Amino acid sequence: RRNEERSVRRPLVETVPADHRPTNAHPDSVLLKDTALSTISDRHALGTICEKTPSQRKSTKENLCPEMAPRRQESYQEPKSHQDTYKERSHQKQDLAPARNPDPPKKPAVQASIPRSISSYQYGKKLSIKGREYVILGTLGQGMSGEVYRVQDLSNLELKAIKYVNLARMDAEAAQSCLDEIKMLHKLQAPTVVKMFDHEVRNQSIYVVMEMGDTDLSRFLKSVAAEKRRLPLTMILYYWTEMLMAVKHIHDNGVIHSDLKPANFLLVRGRLKLIDFGISSTLNAEMTSVVKSTTVGTLNYISPEALMDVSTGDSPHQNTRYKISYKSDVWSLGCILYSLVFGNTPFQSYRTQWAKINAITNPNPMISYQLPSNAEQVPIILIDVIKMCLRHDPKARPSVEQLLQVQYISVAKNSGAPRPDIPSDILTKIRRTLDDDEWKKLLA
């Protein structure tokens, strides 16, 4: 019916004859006559003379008579409920109401991404150590009595790490151990040990500024395992040589680390550096071992002698005694090499703590040396080295210096051709200058 009514209506815009036009009218002007359309609400606008150019005529018709505008396709919408209608009217009333005491425009806030591992209160906080300022960017690690911050040195904009320890949260013996660790780290400074730039003790707190690594060996190995990959033989030999050189350095300086594991080897620009000397022991020149009153170390890498009490037990009041030596670190190195080759530690299959302790202290431990199906074949000498490191008797294990003299490269391939006798430290330097393809060609 609506379409029928529209068909009988007269045109809204009709051209006025020239003799009826006003004298001041534009030649292309049109006269809008009143057509008595019920759909037009502003009737007084009709019948007036409007000056329009030809390019504006179409818009004039659409504005004054929406029925003459082309119809647009609209998507179907659900009918509004009473609640939605009420909300819409409420918003309209709020828009019409005059604003009361409008707030001044706020300045846009500066936004920055804050690491999840650190609170917004700590992010951006400045630390001053020996007069040098550092700004906290994140947290690298946390413990019961301290944290390790990722910071930026404001003097040269270098990224560094600051180890913070709250001495008030520990007993006197543990606090003294932290102070001894600083002295030991200062004594052991070398390319194979994490670099310490400065430290300060104030208000029962310790702040140690160190170089920041890319990651530790444990996280790196986990990322490789997550991608269902294994380290190539060249990388295994490279990391093994790096670890041996680091441990030899501390042994030459009379220090037993006592907690060697992948997490305590830091990767810094491709080099492995030893960290965390919190439970290390110092030996004099004439000493070959040290006795501890408590078991120290990480169970998957701890040596049997560190778990076995050597006290006679004649008196019920006699304290336990655990005798460790440089060879205890060799056992731990053997566990690390085992994990590099086989993808897990020798006693990782034992789920309970006591079962694992019994397996470690067993004089004839049941250790599997069968390579996984997807593992690269390794030279027999590498398996033999693991077996020598994991001997139950500490005296039967080789020293770190002897492990460095083993010719791993010369037997990397079953070839009858003689190979040059190259020291391991020189091979390490050669490895740093070659990429993976060149290194493989060298081993071929």
Side-chain angles (χ1 to χ4, degrees):
R1 182 179 178 182
R2 189 179 185 88
N3 294 333
E4 293 175 359
E5 292 178 358
R6 185 187 305 168
S7 63
V8 298
R9 290 171 182 164
R10 290 179 298 152
L12 176 65
V13 180
E14 294 182 0
T15 305
V16 180
D19 54 349
H20 290 80
R21 291 175 179 269
T23 57
N24 59 347
H26 191 275
D28 293 330
S29 64
V30 293
L31 177 63
L32 306 180
K33 291 186 177 182
D34 187 1
T35 54
L37 294 178
S38 59
T39 57
I40 303 299
S41 58
D42 297 334
R43 292 177 180 273
H44 63 277
L46 299 174
T48 59
I49 297 177
C50 298
E51 296 295 330
K52 296 291 179 180
T53 61
S55 62
Q56 296 173 322
R57 290 174 184 173
K58 183 177 180 180
S59 60
T60 303
K61 291 189 283 185
E62 293 179 359
N63 292 335
L64 294 179
C65 186
E67 290 186 355
M68 298 190 65
R71 291 182 175 271
R72 298 177 181 176
Q73 294 182 356
E74 298 180 358
S75 59
Y76 174 76
Q77 297 180 355
E78 294 289 341
K80 297 181 180 179
S81 62
H82 294 290
Q83 186 176 3
D84 295 337
T85 306
Y86 174 76
K87 290 182 179 179
E88 184 176 347
R89 291 177 179 176
S90 300
H91 288 305
Q92 292 175 356
K93 290 181 179 181
Q94 292 177 2
D95 295 338
L96 294 176
R100 297 181 180 179
N101 299 328
D103 296 332
K106 297 182 179 180
K107 296 181 180 180
V110 178
Q111 298 181 355
S113 59
I114 300 176
R116 295 181 180 179
S117 59
I118 188 170
S119 64
S120 58
Y121 171 75
Q122 292 174 319
Y123 181 83
K125 181 181 178 182
K126 290 183 180 180
L127 293 175
S128 179
I129 302 191
K130 295 286 186 69
R132 179 169 290 194
E133 287 191 340
Y134 306 87
V135 61
I136 298 178
L137 302 178
T139 302
L140 299 174
Q142 293 179 330
M144 294 295 294
S145 57
E147 295 177 287
V148 179
Y149 298 125
R150 177 176 177 264
V151 301
Q152 186 175 35
D153 190 340
L154 295 182
S155 64
N156 52 22
L157 302 182
E158 290 183 359
L159 295 178
K160 295 178 181 178
I162 291 182
K163 183 178 181 179
Y164 159 73
V165 180
N166 188 350
L167 298 178
R169 296 181 182 178
M170 54 182 64
D171 55 23
E173 184 179 355
Q176 185 60 43
S177 177
C178 292
L179 296 174
D180 294 340
E181 181 184 2
I182 296 176
K183 296 178 181 178
M184 189 176 299
L185 187 58
H186 179 73
K187 168 188 174 182
L188 295 173
Q189 286 298 284
T192 57
V193 177
V194 63
K195 187 174 182 180
M196 182 179 69
F197 295 101
D198 210 342
H199 74 279
E200 185 175 2
V201 182
R202 68 171 185 267
N203 300 329
Q204 291 188 327
S205 298
I206 300 177
Y207 299 89
V208 184
V209 184
M210 301 177 291
E211 66 179 335
M212 192 185 72
D214 305 314
T215 185
D216 59 62
L217 186 59
S218 176
R219 293 182 181 179
F220 173 72
L221 295 177
K222 288 179 181 178
S223 65
V224 172
E227 298 175 0
K228 297 182 179 180
R229 297 187 295 112
R230 289 193 176 275
L231 286 179
L233 176 60
T234 54
M235 295 305 297
I236 292 175
L237 294 176
Y238 170 69
Y239 287 139
W240 175 242
T241 306
E242 288 278 286
M243 287 186 286
L244 290 178
M245 293 176 65
V247 177
K248 181 181 183 298
H249 169 70
I250 66 171
H251 284 185
D252 290 344
N253 285 271
V255 175
I256 304 173
H257 192 279
S258 299
D259 195 20
L260 293 178
K261 56 185 178 182
N264 283 338
F265 284 96
L266 190 67
L267 273 166
V268 183
R269 293 181 292 275
R271 293 292 307 273
L272 277 184
K273 298 194 176 188
L274 198 52
I275 62 173
D276 196 356
F277 295 87
I279 60 175
S280 300
S281 303
T282 303
L283 276 69
N284 296 329
E286 63 275 5
M287 296 174 60
T288 58
S289 61
V290 64
V291 177
K292 295 272 190 176
S293 59
T294 57
T295 297
V296 291
T298 303
L299 196 55
N300 279 329
Y301 304 92
I302 197 170
S303 63
E305 58 270 20
L307 297 171
M308 300 172 66
D309 185 9
V310 295
S311 60
T312 58
D314 296 337
S315 173
H317 303 287
Q318 188 176 5
N319 295 328
T320 56
R321 302 170 64 208
Y322 304 94
K323 188 177 181 181
I324 62 173
S325 64
Y326 297 125
K327 301 297 183 66
S328 302
D329 282 347
V330 173
W331 172 281
S332 302
L333 287 171
C335 293
I336 298 174
L337 181 58
Y338 186 99
S339 65
L340 293 177
V341 175
F342 296 94
N344 54 270
T345 54
F347 306 98
Q348 190 170 331
S349 59
Y350 296 93
R351 298 302 178 186
T352 63
Q353 179 176 341
W354 288 112
K356 188 171 294 188
I357 292 175
N358 289 333
I360 295 172
T361 56
N362 186 353
N364 298 305
M366 301 297 295
I367 302 176
S368 174
Y369 291 97
Q370 183 177 359
L371 286 170
S373 57
N374 61 338
E376 181 182 357
Q377 290 297 320
V378 297
I380 301 299
I381 187 62
L382 204 58
I383 305 298
D384 292 339
V385 166
I386 296 175
K387 292 179 179 179
M388 289 189 292
C389 293
L390 297 182
R391 287 172 179 168
H392 185 268
D393 184 6
K395 296 179 180 179
R397 300 171 200 156
S399 66
V400 175
E401 185 174 2
Q402 291 172 336
L403 292 173
L404 278 170
Q405 300 303 320
V406 175
Q407 300 300 316
Y408 302 96
I409 304 300
S410 61
V411 291
K413 290 285 184 178
N414 295 326
S415 174
R419 294 181 179 269
D421 187 8
I422 304 175
S424 300
D425 55 342
I426 297 179
L427 285 173
T428 302
K429 295 179 181 179
I430 295 174
R431 176 65 184 93
R432 296 194 196 105
T433 61
L434 302 178
D435 57 28
D436 291 339
D437 293 334
E438 293 173 338
W439 181 251
K440 290 179 180 179
K441 291 179 181 179
L442 179 64
L443 297 180

